[in-house]
Amino acid sequence: MFEDRQYAAKLAISLMDLTSLNDDDNNSEIEMLCQQATTFAGNTAAVCIYPEFISLAKQLLAKDNIAVATVVNFPSGNGQIDMVVSQTNQAIEYGADEIDLVLPYIALTQGNMDTPKAMVEQVKAACGDEVLLKVIIESGVLKETDLIRKASEVAINGGADFIKTSTGKVDINATLPAATTMLEVISVLNPKIGFKAAGGVRTLDDAISYMELAANMLGSGYLSKETFRFGASGLLVNLLSELGFSAQANETDY
């Protein structure tokens, strides 16, 4: 499907949430990230940063049609619902276009479906129709296919616009088997729900594997930024190298 590697690389760039979620991030690094998001091969879909940098990123990307995403209940997923809703409201006030919410996945492993569903519902209510909600299920911790399926169902039934594999802060992040399970749930419940592979996608070959999987399961039209994303940072360097360009990027893994 992707014999033309340059086409595949350009497509992957357009589907990327270029990410920096490091404890020592500062304004200069976020400015560099925003510069990197506009490449010679086209713009990324979004940048994903901590809430305190939203206003800066919005200012820097105002003319570039690049969304600004941020994270809440991150990375542990252990926050109280009212606190997470407050985080969401504040991020939206700062100007966030997209919210990446960590599902209370530990509660789900303990058989508690009510708290995760309630959190997604209330955060989606705060987002409304204007702010995209991506729900991180932390598939590498859930591990079991049944738990990954349940987490995906809870997220979608709660109102998620996207389901996302990982925070990038655990030992196992995106995997093709987990992606397969998540995409299967999407295909059954609502093929308009988006999917985001985050963590461990470092090369064009990695990206092609996920794009082919999604296209085979949901059609080639699914590969648009409205329904498919990569959460990554170092991946951009590899993709630009494939295209004959060079760039610097934060070599973190989200």
Side-chain angles (χ1 to χ4, degrees):
M1 184 180 296
F2 291 105
E3 291 82 5
D4 184 340
R5 292 178 66 83
Q6 291 208 339
Y7 167 76
K10 289 178 181 178
L11 178 59
I13 289 171
S14 75
L15 302 174
M16 186 183 303
D17 289 359
L18 186 62
T19 301
S20 188
L21 294 168
N22 304 306
D23 293 339
D24 58 353
D25 280 344
N26 56 47
N27 284 353
S28 295
E29 290 176 348
I30 299 306
E31 288 174 6
M32 183 179 297
L33 188 82
C34 291
Q35 290 172 0
Q36 292 165 353
T38 59
T39 83
F40 292 112
N43 295 347
T44 65
V47 297
C48 187
I49 53 179
Y50 280 125
E52 57 263 39
F53 301 111
I54 293 171
S55 298
L56 174 61
K58 290 288 288 187
Q59 179 182 349
L60 293 170
L61 297 173
K63 298 179 181 179
D64 295 310
N65 193 31
I66 297 173
V68 175
T70 195
V71 290
V72 298
N73 203 27
F74 185 91
S76 70
N78 291 331
Q80 297 296 312
I81 292 177
D82 58 350
M83 180 195 74
V84 177
V85 171
S86 178
Q87 288 178 345
T88 303
N89 285 327
Q90 187 172 53
I92 293 170
E93 287 179 13
Y94 289 157
D97 301 300
E98 303 178 358
I99 299 292
D100 286 28
L101 162 71
V102 182
L103 189 78
Y105 57 91
I106 297 300
L108 188 142
T109 65
Q110 297 168 345
N112 177 357
M113 303 295 170
D114 294 337
T115 298
K117 186 170 185 288
M119 183 177 288
V120 176
E121 288 173 341
Q122 293 188 39
V123 171
K124 180 55 184 175
C127 290
D129 294 330
E130 300 300 316
V131 177
L132 195 74
L133 175 61
K134 308 190 203 88
V135 176
I136 305 167
I137 68 166
E138 205 68 287
S139 58
V141 175
L142 297 179
K143 295 182 181 178
E144 297 174 12
T145 299
D146 188 52
L147 284 176
I148 293 170
R149 181 178 294 109
K150 286 180 180 177
S152 301
E153 291 170 349
V154 166
I156 292 172
N157 290 332
D161 300 301
F162 268 72
I163 52 175
K164 172 180 171 181
T165 58
S166 323
T167 60
K169 299 290 189 178
V170 294
D171 292 337
I172 301 173
N173 294 291
T175 66
L176 288 170
T180 300
T181 300
M182 295 168 73
L183 290 164
E184 284 174 349
V185 174
I186 289 171
S187 69
V188 171
L189 293 185
N190 185 349
K192 293 182 180 180
I193 298 297
F195 169 79
K196 179 174 173 180
V201 185
R202 300 185 181 92
T203 68
L204 176 57
D205 288 330
D206 293 337
I208 287 174
S209 295
Y210 284 96
M211 291 191 295
E212 286 184 337
L213 176 66
N216 288 336
M217 295 181 70
L218 289 159
S220 59
Y222 192 76
L223 298 179
S224 75
K225 66 180 180 180
E226 284 72 33
T227 46
F228 187 92
R229 301 282 183 89
F230 294 110
S233 54
L235 173 64
L236 182 61
V237 173
N238 181 268
L239 297 178
L240 291 174
S241 176
E242 289 274 356
L243 293 165
F245 301 116
S246 63
Q248 293 179 340
N250 298 318
E251 292 294 336
T252 48
D253 186 16
Y254 304 108

